[in-house]
Amino acid sequence: MATSAEKATTLGSGPVAVQDPNNSKFLVDPYKDWSTGEGIPIHFDFGHDLLELETGPWDRYDARGCFAHTVGMGDFMANYVIEVLPGRKTSPVKHLYEAFFFVLAGYGSTTVWLPNGEVRTFEWGPKALFAIPLNCTYQIHNGSGRERVRLSCTNDAPLSINLYHNLDFIFKNDFAFPERTGQSKHFEGEGVLYSYGTESARKIQNVWETNFVHDLTSFKLYEFEGRGKGSLNVNFVLADGTMHAHVSQMPVGRYKKAHRHAAGTHVHAVDGTGYSLLWYEGESEFKEFPWKHGFMYTPPFWMYHQHFNTGPEPARYVACSLGSRRYPFISLRRKSAEGKGATSVKDGGRQIEYEDQDPRVHRKFLEALKETGVPSAMGDTFDEAAVLALPKESLTGVIQTPVLVGPAI
């Protein structure tokens, strides 16, 4: 029988139409409903300082937490923060979505119960990265009696929850994925390095397979000049997942080439200081996002973005997204996995080469370096005296962006 909010209306001799004035049966967002129902703060912005976000009691983890939602999170990816107070531990938790954990602050350990009955425990400190094998039960321990632990959890819960829209299936599912657990050494920070690609360092992909990385600040990176001279990079396959992560490093006095891609790439500053510029094709103003360790943001779909190191030390960041080098999942990620992410827009790609970028980009970088006292290392690419001499009236209007040639790859 229809409720007062669902009054039946007869359409001629056809079927009965049920009115739904409250939109209770359509335009449903199960992930949004779940996150709202968890009872913890939900923060929404272009990006966040995850070390400073307000948290609240989170019954699911028996800890504190908050959602760190962003403008560019897209349809598949999200982020939340878990805070474990001194001397405490979370409840054992499992879920049918993938999750990567980046340690923002504190020291502790994680215990994982594997499908074969084995138990793995590994210890970590600030700037460690680890993944939980899919649907394995895990528990996070704070190893300090005095300091809090904060972890950033980038996950594909929106994909899983919206696809199945059944929370018991997500959180109380006993199906095991033994092929996802990895080798024992993968819980100890060891792994396997793969390299593929037939071209120069501009396109070669270096991939480290593991479940746990002790410290992203000291982890070995490899030459990747496709994003700019001196750029270093390594990709990760964590817990045989469909989610992707990579760490990149910018040398002192240099910056990355602008590029764009699908939504949902959560970029965390690991060390160093700097900023990112973002803009859509056709815009006249840049959006600027400053960063240091603890800052995270997600470039929205197809929005150009460019990362700049303005500090006295090399700067690293870790980016987590959907579509790994092993399981690309979507076509744009497959193109990246094939090494085409560093292809110029003028060749149908997604990257703006230095010679094609708007002069405001380098002018702003030089002005930022003047404030920090760090010398530019980009004089081999730009006539910096000429850039500084440009009249201000020439540095206005629509941001200069190359015209895309052919279908995007």
Side-chain angles (χ1 to χ4, degrees):
M1 182 174 180
T3 67
S4 58
E6 299 175 339
K7 295 186 180 300
T9 302
T10 302
L11 298 177
S13 59
V16 174
V18 178
Q19 296 178 1
D20 183 24
N22 297 320
N23 292 328
S24 61
K25 295 186 179 299
F26 300 95
L27 304 177
V28 180
D29 188 335
Y31 172 77
K32 182 179 179 181
D33 293 343
W34 170 73
S35 56
T36 301
E38 289 297 282
I40 58 176
I42 299 176
H43 304 283
F44 182 78
D45 206 335
F46 199 88
H48 304 281
D49 181 353
L50 300 179
L51 286 167
E52 298 299 329
L53 288 183
E54 176 194 3
T55 61
W58 196 354
D59 291 344
R60 183 173 301 280
Y61 279 96
D62 190 23
R64 298 184 64 84
C66 67
F67 288 98
H69 290 163
T70 58
V71 173
M73 61 189 285
D75 297 317
F76 305 139
M77 301 287 292
N79 184 275
Y80 54 74
V81 172
I82 299 174
E83 182 176 56
V84 185
L85 298 180
R88 299 289 301 273
K89 59 186 177 182
T90 68
S91 297
V93 175
K94 68 174 180 177
H95 41 70
L96 202 67
Y97 56 81
E98 295 184 14
F100 290 175
F101 292 85
F102 176 52
V103 182
L104 299 165
Y107 293 84
S109 62
T110 299
T111 298
V112 183
W113 286 266
L114 302 182
N116 63 4
E118 296 180 2
V119 180
R120 295 280 184 269
T121 299
F122 53 94
E123 298 181 350
W124 37 257
K127 303 179 183 179
L129 177 71
F130 62 88
I132 303 299
L134 188 63
N135 212 33
C136 285
T137 300
Y138 64 98
Q139 187 172 37
I140 297 169
H141 308 253
N142 185 340
S144 170
R146 302 175 61 182
E147 303 293 334
R148 67 175 181 172
V149 157
R150 271 207 181 202
L151 303 101
S152 170
C153 175
T154 304
N155 58 79
D156 64 0
L159 170 64
S160 300
I161 293 176
N162 284 338
L163 178 63
Y164 297 110
H165 45 269
N166 184 299
L167 294 181
D168 284 348
F169 187 79
I170 299 297
F171 294 103
K172 298 179 181 180
N173 194 323
D174 291 330
F175 190 84
F177 298 84
E179 71 281 4
R180 297 265 201 135
T181 59
Q183 303 177 38
S184 295
K185 66 179 183 179
H186 290 177
F187 292 96
E188 300 167 2
E190 298 184 39
V192 180
L193 178 66
Y194 299 95
S195 181
Y196 70 91
T198 58
E199 300 185 41
S200 67
R202 182 180 176 89
K203 297 289 183 69
I204 287 179
Q205 303 283 322
N206 291 288
V207 184
W208 182 255
E209 181 172 10
T210 189
N211 294 352
F212 170 48
V213 181
H214 285 283
D215 184 358
L216 293 182
T217 64
S218 60
F219 193 83
K220 180 176 174 58
L221 306 183
Y222 301 87
E223 181 181 357
F224 186 63
E225 302 244 333
R227 282 280 189 262
K229 184 177 179 180
S231 178
L232 303 176
N233 169 278
V234 71
N235 301 286
F236 293 108
V237 169
L238 299 172
D240 195 34
T242 306
M243 279 173 46
H244 165 79
H246 72 264
V247 172
S248 292
Q249 177 174 295
M250 293 174 283
V252 176
R254 299 195 71 92
Y255 58 86
K256 295 273 193 173
K257 296 177 182 179
H259 57 286
R260 60 186 179 180
H261 46 60
T265 298
H266 288 66
V267 182
H268 295 71
V270 174
D271 57 10
T273 55
Y275 64 93
S276 294
L277 292 181
L278 304 98
W279 71 98
Y280 283 113
E281 193 170 0
E283 290 187 327
S284 299
E285 299 290 336
F286 295 99
K287 180 173 182 60
E288 181 177 344
F289 186 80
W291 46 256
K292 61 181 180 179
H293 172 63
F295 282 48
M296 179 275 291
Y297 80 101
T298 55
F301 179 81
W302 224 232
M303 190 177 196
Y304 282 112
H305 50 283
Q306 195 163 6
H307 311 304
F308 301 80
N309 179 10
T310 59
E313 303 292 338
R316 291 190 177 195
Y317 61 85
V318 58
C320 304
S321 57
L322 186 67
S324 67
R325 293 295 183 257
R326 178 169 290 162
Y327 308 108
F329 192 76
I330 60 177
S331 60
L332 283 175
R333 297 300 302 172
R334 179 171 293 278
K335 295 299 183 182
S336 295
E338 292 171 352
K340 297 178 180 177
T343 300
S344 171
V345 172
K346 295 194 298 186
D347 295 322
R350 290 175 260 145
Q351 178 169 281
I352 299 176
E353 301 300 324
Y354 290 134
E355 63 268 22
D356 298 320
Q357 72 181 23
D358 191 290
R360 281 171 281 188
V361 172
H362 198 64
R363 172 74 164 258
K364 179 173 178 56
F365 179 66
L366 294 176
E367 292 171 348
L369 290 185
K370 185 177 180 180
E371 294 183 8
T372 62
V374 176
S376 170
M378 303 287 286
D380 56 347
T381 303
F382 296 93
D383 183 343
E384 297 186 325
V387 172
L388 289 171
L390 289 170
K392 288 193 174 181
E393 56 268 23
S394 70
L395 302 174
T396 59
V398 174
I399 299 168
Q400 298 178 27
T401 306
V403 176
L404 176 65
V405 176
I409 58 175

